[in-house]
Amino acid sequence: ELLALQEQQQVEAYERLRAERQEQRQQMAEKEAAQRREIEQHAGIRASAMQRLSDDTESKAAAERIAKDRAAEQHEQANRKKIEDMKSQTQEYLLKQMKEKQAKKAVEVEKARQLAKAQAAEVKHMEAQEKERDAFKKKLVYDHHSELKKQIKVRARQKDRQEAMSDCELRLNKQLLEKVSLALTDMSTK
């Protein structure tokens, strides 16, 4: 956003500079027109003075000088116009490039936003799957725990009727029951 703001400010500064240059060109054109009128006025005065001269050679030389001066002025004016046109084209090209760069950056920002959104959705989906797995494991542990309790109760009832469970079996089941109880307690705190 900061880069976009800086680029926008650069574009605005460029537009102001362009307007100032356009105004300068207009002023120069008006000044040149005034100079041309003055030159033409002086040329007219010179031409009438030359006509009064009786010497044909001086008259021709003056006319040639005037023609050369006009030709030089026109040539210089054409060169100035050509240079101004080239400057204007260059400025337009640079402005176009800046705008294209801004548009490309906006597209990249949108792509990054879409990618972040997709990644967030993927994370949510994975978290939901993890919760489902945890709930399934809890249920398995709980079911196993309940089954062990039932088996212990059944064996305890059968103990009186049948031969007693060996000490080793009792210890194995007791340790297993304690592990299951610990696992259930551990999972319920998560």
Side-chain angles (χ1 to χ4, degrees), residues 3-4 6 13 15 23 38-39 42 50 52 64 67 70 75 106 109 145 154 161 164 168 178 180 189-190:
L3 286 175
Q6 287 176 347
E15 291 293 343
E23 187 176 328
E38 188 178 328
I39 289 170
H42 289 306
M50 291 297 170
R52 286 185 228 124
E64 285 175 8
R70 283 186 183 162
H75 181 70
V109 166
H145 178 70
V154 168
R161 289 185 232 143
C168 182
E178 286 174 359
V180 169
T189 58
K190 287 185 180 178

Side-chain angles (χ1 to χ4, degrees), residues 46-172:
R46 274 190 247 154
S48 63
M50 291 297 170
Q51 286 176 358
R52 286 185 228 124
L53 291 175
S54 58
D55 192 77
D56 249 0
T57 323
E58 286 182 23
S59 194
K60 279 185 179 179
E64 285 175 8
R65 268 196 317 273
I66 291 170
K68 282 182 182 178
D69 287 347
R70 283 186 183 162
E73 176 65 27
Q74 288 173 350
H75 181 70
E76 188 178 328
Q77 190 176 3
N79 281 344
R80 279 196 299 266
K81 184 177 182 337
K82 184 177 178 182
I83 289 170
E84 286 299 318
D85 288 346
M86 288 172 67
K87 281 183 185 178
S88 178
Q89 288 173 355
T90 303
Q91 289 171 350
E92 287 173 10
Y93 175 75
L94 290 174
L95 183 62
K96 181 182 173 187
Q97 276 191 327
M98 288 171 72
K99 286 181 180 177
E100 285 174 357
K101 186 177 177 184
Q102 284 177 341
K104 186 178 178 183
K105 189 172 280 186
V107 167
E108 288 173 2
V109 166
E110 179 59 23
K111 280 183 183 177
R113 190 185 68 76
Q114 292 291 338
L115 180 62
K117 187 177 174 183
Q119 287 175 342
E122 180 69 21
V123 167
K124 246 185 183 177
H125 178 69
M126 289 175 71
E127 286 174 351
Q129 284 183 332
E130 188 66 30
K131 281 183 182 178
E132 283 181 28
R133 277 195 297 272
D134 286 347
F136 181 71
K137 284 180 184 176
K138 273 185 183 180
K139 184 175 180 336
L140 281 179
V141 169
Y142 180 77
D143 290 349
H144 184 66
H145 178 70
S146 297
E147 183 61 33
L148 283 176
K149 277 187 173 180
K150 284 180 191 175
Q151 286 178 10
I152 290 172
K153 282 182 185 177
V154 168
R155 292 233 176 150
R157 278 189 238 132
Q158 289 176 353
K159 185 178 179 184
D160 296 333
R161 289 185 232 143
Q162 297 176 357
E163 71 178 48
M165 198 186 301
S166 73
D167 288 340
C168 182
E169 286 178 329
L170 198 58
R171 273 182 293 171
L172 282 175

Side-chain angles (χ1 to χ4, degrees), residues 14 16-26 84 87 91:
Y14 173 76
R16 283 193 302 275
L17 181 64
R18 187 174 170 191
E20 289 172 7
R21 287 185 179 165
Q22 183 67 30
E23 187 176 328
Q24 288 173 354
R25 281 196 295 266
Q26 181 70 26
E84 286 299 318
K87 281 183 185 178
Q91 289 171 350

